[in-house]
Amino acid sequence: MLSRLSIRSRITLGSLAVAVVLLLVALLVVRTQVSTVLASADASLAQSDLESFDKDVTANPDETLDAPGSGILVYVRSPGGTVEANTLPRDILVPILGRDATDEQYMTTDDEGRTFVVVGRTVQTSAGTWAMWSARSTSSNELALRGLDAVLLVGGLLLLLGFGAASWLLATAALRPVSAMRRQAEQLGEGATDAQLPVGRTQDELSELATTLNRFLSRVQASSAREKQMVSDAAHELRTPLAVLKTQLELAHNDFGDADALARQVGAAEVSVDRLASLASNLLELSRIESHEAAASTSTAAVLTDEFMGSVDRARMLALDKSVAVDFTLSPIDDGAEFRIAAQAFGRLVDNLFSNAINAVDDAGTVRATLTQSERRLLLTVSDDGPGMPDDFVPVAFERFTRPDASRATSTGGSGLGLALVRALAREAGGEVSAENTHPGLRMSVFLPKM
């Protein structure tokens, strides 16, 4: 039932429940204290009623006692057993008759239901021991307590009403930032993709929640922007090779009577299909890495070295058509050192760097690769003696679908995803990649930290 109520209502009801318990305890304590004080006052008054008789019998034990004043309820018995004064009601007197003299105090009730406090006292004189009792009705105290109960009840209800209203207002004020965040969140759902939740001025839990949610929104918005940009870029990149492939297939239809021409068109179409397949594969790999869907994997330095050597062999095969020399340097490594990257992913990383370098250099150029290991990281460098990159392109070289001038990419028909994939693989392993012009040439450096 409570789960269906608003937080404000639950806070108010919870506060009222606590207030009711505390108020009941406080009222009971107050009433008990007042009742004790009134009962003590009645006993004191009863004791004071005996004071004058006590003084008389002490000073003049043989003289006759003065009659009690109006409304004074006493019973005085001499040492000889003679009743010297008696104004007690019969219901109060009966238990006292024949009672031995003693100092005492007790409560009793008459046949009409009225309660009395009775005080007994003994007085030692030269003539013997006098026995005295006095009584005081507690009716006035009971009336006072009933009046107090009414006051406490009405006052308690008013306090609870005031406390409930205050709790509601305080809860409303405390939850006002939540309402503001909710309204702002509704705007987010209406297309305000760059909006942020309002953060209060006070450094409290709600402002911390708003800050955390804003960071989350920023990540979601950035991810959404990247996805939109990726879709847009992919559509743009796919448009040209698809148009080329369509043209090549149309030309192939026209060359059905010419086997050589048909073979050339089919071969050109295969190149376009390969480019489309590579583009789709790289896009899928990038999406998988950036969404962290790839399963965590580790490899030893020995395994990564084997992948590096395999990449060198593949690069040399790729470089045969251009007579490009592919050299490598392998420094001593700790075979047992582990790195947070799969062997296949490391091989793809190295292959992309080799492919970019080979495509960048002229015929008979040189590509050099080194793999070294320090105490904390594995360092891979791939350099070439080509024209390098424009200086203003270096900062964006690892962005998706970016290309430098024609000297490095246009002629090769690259998709602009190779270096983006290299950076994604390196960062997934906790490392980083950088590019640097060496005049002439370009050096790509990748470092991977040890686990």
Side-chain angles (χ1 to χ4, degrees), residues 394-412:
V394 173
V396 296
F398 298 97
E399 298 294 332
R400 288 178 296 194
F401 301 113
T402 57
R403 298 185 182 87
D405 60 8
S407 63
R408 290 195 67 89
T410 303
S411 62
T412 66

Side-chain angles (χ1 to χ4, degrees), residues 282 347-357 418-419 421-422 425:
N282 286 338
R348 175 173 287 190
L349 183 153
V350 181
D351 286 345
N352 279 331
L353 292 180
F354 271 132
S355 177
N356 282 352
L419 292 182
L421 183 58
V422 168
L425 290 170

Side-chain angles (χ1 to χ4, degrees), residues 121-140:
R121 181 187 297 186
T122 58
V123 180
Q124 301 295 330
T125 66
S126 58
T129 301
W130 288 74
M132 302 180 183
W133 285 269
S134 68
R136 277 276 179 169
S137 174
T138 62
S139 299
S140 60

